[in-house]
Every structure is written in structure tokens, then in C-alpha cells.
Amino acid sequence: MLLKTKEDYLEIIFHLESEGKKAATNEIATHLKISSASVSEHLRKLAKEGLIRHEPYKGIALTSKGKKIALDVVRRHRLAERFLTDKLGVKWEEAHGEAHKLEHDISKVVGDKIYKLLGEPKTCPHGNPVPGADGRIKEEPSKPLVEFEKNDRLKIVKITDEEPKLLCYLATLGLMPKTQIKVEQKAPFNGPVMVKVGSAVYALGRKIAEAIWVRKI
């Protein structure tokens, strides 16, 4: 298996685990936009290398060896995002896709230099934490917006779905990391979540509300 392909798989599994989602074959296939059969074949290879394990009813899980590689890729990716936005002026909705093209070619030495150049950033532009060079990652406590109730006052910590169109939409609403919001209403039966940003009120679909992670203030 090509190194780039291996890193892509481990990175996706890491993200799914971080969001508390089941890293199932179909879920991974959806992210990679390839067939489930192809994903299954690659997963078998990763398992043979001791990078993942299959847990019944829980899906795919990273081993400590696999997580170490995944964290290294995530560090390179998030530093690349931060460099692109902070130093090159790339829009925050475009940084994720551009960083994905760079992450596999950034060496540890270059990654460490970028980290120092940027002033040792704690997060990427979307609020997700940058893993340390030692492989450790420090998450700021947060939960998906969809889990909060009416009148809760919150602060956005991170956006976990970095799809460009979504990020562009959130930016137009002012829903970015560090922004303070209030839950105005939460419709039943998986209806929208109404949030107040400044003096404006917006209705957010449940999928969007699941991608916005917040903490109470």
C-alpha cells in the first residue's frame, strides 16, 4: 500500500474516532468516495500491519501504532492549514483541501520549523487542536451544538466538518471558532436548531449543528 493511501485511511479513522462516530467500512468509503469493497481490501492490509483492529459492533479502531502515524499526519495537515491561512492568505474554506495536497510531503524537520514560524499555534484555522511533535494532542472540552438546549449560552470551539461549502456558509453567518452564540430554540423530531449570533438568529440543520462543537460559557 502506498504511504499516502495508508496515511489517508489512518487519518480518516482518527477523525471518526475523535468525533465519537463509528469508523465503519461504509463510512470510510463515503469519505474517500470509493467502493466499500476497495476499502475492505485496504483495511485488511492495515490490520495485517498492526495499524488497525476490528472491534465487533464498534467498527474499525486504531492501534497505538496506527494512532501514532495518524497523529503525525494530522499535525502536518493542521500546520499546513495554519500556514496557508496565516502566511499566504488562503481562505479558511479552501485551506483544508490545499493542506491535504501538502500534508504527505512535509517532513518532521519542516513541520517543526513551520510550527515555530507560526508562533506554536494550538489549533488549525477551524479550531481543531494541533498535535504536539511528541504525538500528544490536547483537546479543549466541547460537544456538538446539537446536544445543547434552549437558552444555553455557548462559545464555538471547533468545526469538525471541513467541507468547503459548509465552511464558507458558516463564515457568512459568523459561526467561527471563539464566536459566542445562544440557543434560541431546538425543534423536536430532528428539526433545526435556532441560534443567535449577535443580533441575528439562524436556523441550522441537525447535520450542521453536529459539526459545530461548543462549550458552555
Side-chain angles (χ1 to χ4, degrees):
M1 183 186 297
L2 294 174
L3 177 60
K4 179 181 181 299
T5 301
K6 181 189 300 184
E7 291 183 341
D8 282 343
Y9 271 81
L10 297 176
E11 184 179 16
I12 289 171
I13 296 170
F14 171 81
H15 287 312
L16 291 171
E17 288 184 341
S18 299
E19 295 168 28
K21 297 179 180 178
K22 185 178 180 181
T25 301
N26 290 341
E27 188 75 23
I28 297 171
T30 298
H31 278 74
L32 290 172
K33 299 179 181 179
I34 59 176
S35 70
S36 294
S38 179
V39 170
S40 295
E41 177 60 29
H42 282 101
L43 291 176
R44 281 194 287 271
K45 293 178 181 178
L46 291 173
K48 190 174 182 180
E49 291 185 47
L51 299 174
I52 64 169
R53 62 179 179 275
H54 184 270
E55 298 182 341
Y57 309 109
K58 292 184 179 181
I60 308 302
L62 295 172
T63 62
S64 57
K65 180 181 177 183
K67 187 174 183 179
K68 182 178 179 181
I69 296 174
L71 282 168
D72 182 50
V73 182
V74 171
R75 174 179 168 80
R76 284 181 267 142
H77 178 92
R78 292 176 179 171
L79 285 175
E81 286 183 318
R82 183 57 76 181
F83 178 78
L84 289 167
T85 56
D86 293 8
K87 297 299 182 180
L88 301 185
V90 174
K91 295 180 180 179
W92 90 312
E93 66 266 25
E94 299 173 352
H96 177 69
E98 293 299 325
H100 186 68
K101 301 172 185 177
L102 300 172
E103 63 187 33
H104 303 290
D105 299 317
I106 297 175
S107 67
K108 184 180 184 307
V109 173
V110 172
D112 290 344
K113 287 185 178 297
I114 292 175
Y115 179 67
K116 291 292 185 182
L117 175 67
L118 296 173
E120 303 184 359
K122 294 181 179 180
T123 70
C124 77
H126 314 111
N128 297 290
V130 175
D134 58 0
R136 296 182 181 181
I137 187 167
K138 186 176 182 180
E139 291 272 5
E140 181 177 350
S142 62
K143 295 190 296 183
L145 170 60
V146 74
E147 295 186 20
F148 291 85
E149 303 297 334
K150 181 179 178 180
N151 293 325
D152 282 342
R153 294 182 180 276
L154 313 164
K155 183 177 181 180
I156 298 177
V157 173
K158 61 184 179 181
I159 309 298
T160 57
D161 186 344
E162 298 177 307
E163 197 280 322
K165 290 182 180 179
L166 173 61
L167 291 174
C168 186
Y169 175 64
L170 294 179
T172 62
L173 302 183
L175 293 170
M176 303 171 76
K178 299 183 180 180
T179 299
Q180 294 185 16
I181 62 176
K182 178 187 175 185
V183 179
E184 290 288 292
Q185 192 59 262
K186 186 177 179 182
F189 307 110
N190 290 319
V193 178
M194 307 290 292
V195 297
K196 187 174 184 179
V197 188
S199 59
V201 177
Y202 304 109
L204 304 176
R206 289 298 174 106
K207 186 176 181 181
I208 293 177
E210 288 174 355
I212 302 173
W213 285 52
V214 298
R215 64 173 177 81
K216 276 191 174 184
I217 54 176

